[in-house]
Amino acid sequence: MKGIILAGGKGTRLYPATLCVSKQLTLVYNKPMIYYPLSVLMLAGIADILIITTPEDRPQFTRLLGDGSHLGINLTYAEQSEPRGIGDAFIIGADHVGPDPVALILGDNIFHGPGFSGLLMSVSDNVEGCVLFGYPVVDPQRYGVGEVDDDGRLVSIQEKPQRPRSNRAITGLYLYDNDVLRVASELAPSARGELEITDVNRLYLEQGRARLIDLGRGFAWLDTGTPESLLEASQYVRTLEERQGVRIACIEEIALRKGLIDADQCYRLGEQLANTGYGEYVMETARSAGGAAIRGVA
């Protein structure tokens, strides 16, 4: 499976901060926002990932993440000069996806919960049709909402409904079989001139090939598109990290746990950030895993 992170747009709701930096490069507590969606794809076992951003912001992303080889993954980049809808990611990323299924995640979404990696691995192993993830919210009128039957099959999708049929908001993580490339290429733009992801999902729904997986108790889904939600996300991450002594979305640790890099490589990545709590955590994680260079014999 290939991965795509959609990290374009102008982040106008975060002006003036995003007049000088991409929204997805702003800090969520102690790390850039892009680390969070990247960590989700890595947890799903996806190592070939395309980051779609703006022409102006692309150099900053490449400076931060490079080609991904230091993490044992392959990162490439593409540009979206103007917002053209989430579905446009499949037009831009068609060559990247090739004949494979694809996971698309929005660059400003944060997911966290127990067993998330196992869930993602099991779902992404054999995607037939479209797999969406639902999250219960108290204000479904603000979101795209999915209604499911007893087997988890989607029976309706409502976009910001006044009278929602469920409280399951559809999150910014989407898994598709390879048919999504054809679906997106044949999709008519909306009145705003955008390829709407809801329209893509509805086509799968009409074919009976869409399902919604609930992210229920114990999971957190955070959208960081406004100053208030960005602050809330930072507070959430800070609270968990300080109380539990772990780091959420630590991409170096994930690369180590997934066997993409070894302990020595992980330690050296931490050394580059040695004067920070984040770097110290990466080095300690590597020490716990062992390694010749860490013990000073290589």
Side-chain angles (χ1 to χ4, degrees):
M1 173 171 278
K2 300 292 179 61
I4 297 177
I5 302 175
L6 185 56
K10 299 184 181 298
T12 55
R13 292 183 295 170
L14 290 174
Y15 277 2
T18 48
L19 287 170
C20 60
V21 64
S22 167
K23 172 176 66 175
Q24 291 83 12
L25 292 175
T26 58
L27 281 180
V28 178
Y29 183 42
N30 56 3
K31 62 190 76 70
M33 188 185 297
I34 191 70
Y35 276 36
Y36 296 87
L38 177 58
S39 71
V40 170
L41 296 184
M42 292 175 66
L43 286 171
I46 300 171
D48 198 348
I49 299 167
L50 174 69
I51 298 176
I52 299 175
T53 185
T54 67
E56 297 80 13
D57 295 322
R58 179 173 177 171
Q60 284 71 45
F61 281 96
T62 56
R63 180 182 177 186
L64 175 67
L65 296 170
D67 63 4
S69 58
H70 61 294
L71 298 169
I73 61 177
N74 179 48
L75 296 178
T76 52
Y77 301 86
E79 297 173 0
Q80 186 185 53
S81 57
E82 295 292 337
R84 292 190 294 269
I86 298 173
D88 187 51
F90 302 115
I91 306 299
I92 297 173
D95 289 342
H96 166 74
V97 176
D100 298 317
V102 58
L104 170 66
I105 187 168
L106 304 187
D108 61 359
N109 275 217
I110 296 175
F111 296 83
H112 179 254
F116 195 32
S117 179
L119 172 64
L120 293 173
M121 292 283 287
S122 65
V123 174
S124 63
D125 187 54
N126 185 27
V127 175
E128 295 182 359
C130 162
V131 179
L132 309 176
F133 294 86
Y135 188 80
V137 294
V138 297
D139 50 355
Q141 298 86 351
R142 295 179 50 216
Y143 303 94
V145 176
E147 179 189 11
V148 300
D149 61 18
D150 292 339
D151 296 323
R153 295 283 178 180
L154 271 176
V155 296
S156 75
I157 298 175
Q158 300 173 283
E159 188 64 31
K160 297 182 179 178
Q162 291 186 353
R163 297 180 179 178
R165 296 172 185 161
S166 83
N167 69 337
R168 294 180 177 92
I170 297 175
T171 70
L173 174 62
Y174 317 88
L175 275 59
Y176 300 94
D177 61 19
N178 194 256
D179 286 348
V180 73
L181 301 184
R182 174 186 55 79
V183 170
S185 67
E186 296 174 354
L187 191 66
S190 67
R192 298 185 299 174
E194 298 184 354
L195 295 180
E196 304 288 354
I197 197 67
T198 297
D199 293 336
V200 172
N201 295 335
R202 282 201 181 106
L203 287 173
Y204 276 95
L205 169 64
E206 292 168 0
Q207 298 169 4
R209 298 199 299 137
R211 64 187 177 114
L212 187 73
I213 295 177
D214 269 323
L215 300 176
R217 289 182 178 273
F219 274 88
W221 169 57
L222 305 168
D223 183 338
T224 55
T226 67
E228 296 78 14
S229 60
L230 184 59
L231 177 59
E232 290 172 1
S234 292
Q235 291 172 332
Y236 174 84
V237 173
R238 178 186 177 185
T239 298
L240 281 185
E241 290 193 352
E242 290 191 350
R243 290 184 178 180
Q244 298 183 2
V246 299
R247 291 290 184 268
I248 297 173
C250 178
I251 53 180
E252 296 85 358
E253 179 180 19
I254 294 171
L256 176 62
R257 304 298 187 203
K258 289 290 184 180
L260 300 170
I261 60 175
D262 62 27
D264 293 342
Q265 292 170 305
C266 183
Y267 188 84
R268 285 191 286 270
L269 292 176
E271 280 187 311
Q272 298 173 19
L273 309 169
N275 62 338
T276 68
Y278 184 91
E280 291 173 358
Y281 176 82
V282 172
M283 288 189 290
E284 182 56 36
T285 299
R287 288 191 194 99
S288 298
I294 300 169
R295 296 193 301 271
V297 298

